[in-house]
Amino acid sequence: MDMKFSSKVKKCGLSPMRKFHPYAVAAEAKGRKIYHLNIGQPDVETPPQFFEAVRNFQAPVLEYAPSPGVPELIDAIQSYYDKLNMHFEKDEILITTGGSEALSIVFQCILDDGDEVLIPEPFYPNYSTMVYTTGASIHPIPTSPEEGYRYADRAKIEAQINEHTRAIVCTNPGNPTGVVLTPEEQRLMCDIAKEHNLFLIGDEAYREFVYAGEPLQSFGEYADAAENIIVIDTVSKRFSACGARVGCILSRNHELLGEAMKYCQARLSVATLDQVASAALYQVGPEYFAAVREEYKRRRDTVVAKLAQIPGVICECPKGAFYLMAALPVDDADKFQQWLLEEFEDNGDTVMFAPGEPFYATPGKGKNEVRIAYVLKQADLERAMDLLAKGIEAYNKRS
């Protein structure tokens, strides 16, 4: 019997970061050690304050939390932004199940069938599922490896705006590119959103990960575009607490927040214990961020230096997050990845990355590109990059 499924879900794909899992399992069964550069799961320890808060939780009943979020977490987030010279009222912060739910709720509030959202490509592939589910589609802003994936150019963006455009998404710092907008580029994005009456969604999951010593920045700073701007935030990467699944929507657009509350109430609440523990994370001092930033900067520099030694690789040094996109001298990164898992080994070792094509909305783009997450320790990264170099050489020598 043929059951009917939603046309919206049929447009969605599976995560490219996890697509090669069965091949990895088979490689490990053969005794291979795999160096994972394919998923942005930091190995930095979660601050102990999180686990202490869980251990010290005393309530006799694990109750529903309020739909907008636990007051102590909202207070902690408000205080964090106040320290960055950005004030949000308590009712301008909605707690969500990770940054992913924050994005999904926002898209559900602002997109209809046939609408478009502008997103620079390459982009985080899960945006596709979130947008398709609303009946809308992603309209890509094109970039190239040769230009370092930069996109904040008025002519380039305005050429893509049409009567279906409802919003622009800026992942800043960028996943998968590591691109960080300058204050002038942020200002430009705000101006474009205001002039064209669009929402500007700042996905700022990686805000703390900038490596040139510049002050932390957010689209929340631009008060003159308050009606347009929606900030997405999360504890996942900032505090290496991906499993907490705690994020938030911040906006001064109260009409948007009122619509979002419908979804917050429909899913009842975010997990109470995770919110209480996440509030404790915000007690962590600046020395924690400084140490983590230094560690990732060292890893970035290692990967960039190693890539520069591989003939034919195109890669500009990323300014933030803990990813980079690179064009490799191979015909097809997807086939290359499968070959690395099925055919290649060096002293029993091989390597995984995320092939680039699924990060693009434009068909055929990104075919020889890869995303590398530099989330491994120094020595492991050096070994992984050496494996990549040896793999490229061996792959291209196949008859």
Side-chain angles (χ1 to χ4, degrees), residues 40 48 69 108 121 133 136 161 170 172 210 246 261 263 268-269 370 376:
Q108 285 165 333
E121 61 178 3
T133 302
I161 295 173
C170 291
N172 189 45
V210 288
V246 169
M261 184 61 78
Y263 290 101
L268 306 181
S269 64
V370 299
L376 304 179

Side-chain angles (χ1 to χ4, degrees), residues 192-210:
I192 292 171
K194 279 170 64 178
E195 289 161 28
H196 294 272
N197 202 27
L198 303 173
F199 283 104
L200 180 59
I201 301 165
D203 182 350
E204 300 179 358
Y206 300 93
R207 182 186 303 122
E208 298 286 343
F209 302 97
V210 288

Side-chain angles (χ1 to χ4, degrees), residues 310 336 339-340 344 346-347 383 385-396:
I310 304 174
F336 176 47
W339 177 85
L340 283 171
F344 175 79
D346 181 73
N347 291 327
R383 175 67 177 143
M385 300 317 289
D386 289 343
L387 288 165
L388 181 63
K390 288 178 179 187
I392 289 170
E393 194 178 350
Y395 178 78
N396 287 331

Side-chain angles (χ1 to χ4, degrees), residues 22-74:
Y23 299 101
V25 170
E28 282 168 344
K30 287 195 281 190
R32 301 266 192 276
K33 176 177 178 179
I34 300 172
Y35 286 82
H36 285 275
L37 304 172
N38 56 314
I39 291 183
Q41 170 57 61
D43 66 352
V44 171
E45 286 189 5
T46 309
Q49 286 91 329
F50 184 94
F51 305 107
E52 283 161 20
V54 173
R55 282 191 287 269
N56 295 334
F57 188 74
Q58 294 297 332
V61 176
L62 192 61
E63 297 181 350
Y64 285 122
S67 293
V70 166
E72 65 204 84
L73 177 56
I74 291 174

Side-chain angles (χ1 to χ4, degrees), residues 97-237:
T97 306
S100 301
E101 191 193 43
L103 284 158
S104 291
I105 288 175
V106 165
F107 288 142
Q108 285 165 333
C109 288
I110 68 174
L111 297 174
D112 259 328
D113 288 348
D115 285 347
E116 292 181 358
V117 54
L118 290 187
I119 307 182
E121 61 178 3
F123 53 77
Y124 175 53
N126 285 338
Y127 289 155
S128 296
T129 302
M130 294 169 187
V131 171
Y132 282 144
T133 302
T134 69
S137 60
I138 291 174
H139 186 115
I141 302 169
T143 71
S144 75
E146 290 77 10
E147 296 173 338
Y149 302 103
R150 302 203 74 79
Y151 60 87
D153 173 276
R154 183 181 280 276
K156 184 183 271 196
I157 293 162
E158 290 190 326
Q160 310 302 328
I161 295 173
N162 61 42
E163 71 274 18
H164 304 294
T165 312
R166 297 289 169 266
I168 306 173
V169 175
C170 291
T171 318
N172 189 45
N175 169 15
T177 61
V179 165
V180 177
L181 296 175
T182 64
E184 295 74 24
E185 288 174 326
Q186 280 194 295
R187 175 75 264 169
L188 173 69
M189 299 308 294
C190 291
D191 290 346
I192 292 171
K194 279 170 64 178
E195 289 161 28
H196 294 272
N197 202 27
L198 303 173
F199 283 104
L200 180 59
I201 301 165
D203 182 350
E204 300 179 358
Y206 300 93
R207 182 186 303 122
E208 298 286 343
F209 302 97
V210 288
Y211 305 119
E214 62 268 66
L216 301 190
Q217 47 187 70
S218 169
F219 280 108
E221 293 166 52
Y222 297 88
D224 64 302
E227 290 299 302
N228 305 79
I229 287 170
I230 305 164
V231 174
I232 306 295
D233 204 349
T234 171
V235 303
S236 290
K237 305 297 167 31

Side-chain angles (χ1 to χ4, degrees), residues 152-377:
D153 173 276
R154 183 181 280 276
K156 184 183 271 196
I157 293 162
E158 290 190 326
Q160 310 302 328
I161 295 173
N162 61 42
E163 71 274 18
H164 304 294
T165 312
R166 297 289 169 266
I168 306 173
V169 175
C170 291
T171 318
N172 189 45
N175 169 15
T177 61
V179 165
V180 177
L181 296 175
T182 64
E184 295 74 24
E185 288 174 326
Q186 280 194 295
R187 175 75 264 169
L188 173 69
M189 299 308 294
C190 291
D191 290 346
I192 292 171
K194 279 170 64 178
E195 289 161 28
H196 294 272
N197 202 27
L198 303 173
F199 283 104
L200 180 59
I201 301 165
D203 182 350
E204 300 179 358
Y206 300 93
R207 182 186 303 122
E208 298 286 343
F209 302 97
V210 288
Y211 305 119
E214 62 268 66
L216 301 190
Q217 47 187 70
S218 169
F219 280 108
E221 293 166 52
Y222 297 88
D224 64 302
E227 290 299 302
N228 305 79
I229 287 170
I230 305 164
V231 174
I232 306 295
D233 204 349
T234 171
V235 303
S236 290
K237 305 297 167 31
R238 175 173 305 141
F239 299 109
S240 196
C242 297
R245 308 313 306 130
V246 169
C248 63
I249 300 166
L250 302 108
S251 182
R252 300 182 182 93
N253 184 319
H254 287 260
E255 194 176 352
L256 168 84
L257 292 162
E259 303 299 350
M261 184 61 78
K262 296 172 185 175
Y263 290 101
C264 291
Q265 290 180 350
R267 57 85 164 117
L268 306 181
S269 64
V270 176
T272 302
L273 199 49
D274 284 306
Q275 289 190 73
V276 169
S278 293
L281 286 173
Y282 282 90
Q283 299 161 10
V284 167
E287 66 287 347
Y288 168 79
F289 295 121
V292 171
R293 213 172 280 132
E294 199 48 49
E295 174 65 23
Y296 278 115
K297 183 172 188 287
R298 201 162 42 243
R299 294 176 182 190
R300 177 200 67 174
D301 293 346
T302 299
V303 171
V304 170
K306 286 278 194 185
L307 281 174
Q309 292 166 14
I310 304 174
V313 170
I314 300 170
C315 171
E316 191 171 294
C317 184
K319 303 287 189 292
F322 39 68
Y323 305 103
L324 59 79
M325 283 293 281
L328 302 185
V330 297
D331 57 347
D332 184 324
D334 206 284
K335 287 185 188 144
F336 176 47
Q337 177 63 87
Q338 191 167 338
W339 177 85
L340 283 171
L341 291 171
E342 290 185 327
E343 311 285 339
F344 175 79
E345 58 88 24
D346 181 73
N347 291 327
D349 299 344
T350 190
V351 64
M352 275 181 87
F353 46 73
E357 202 169 0
F359 292 84
Y360 284 86
T362 304
K365 278 192 85 172
K367 205 172 179 63
N368 69 326
E369 292 172 45
V370 299
R371 185 191 77 166
I372 288 171
Y374 45 94
V375 292
L376 304 179
K377 290 180 176 63

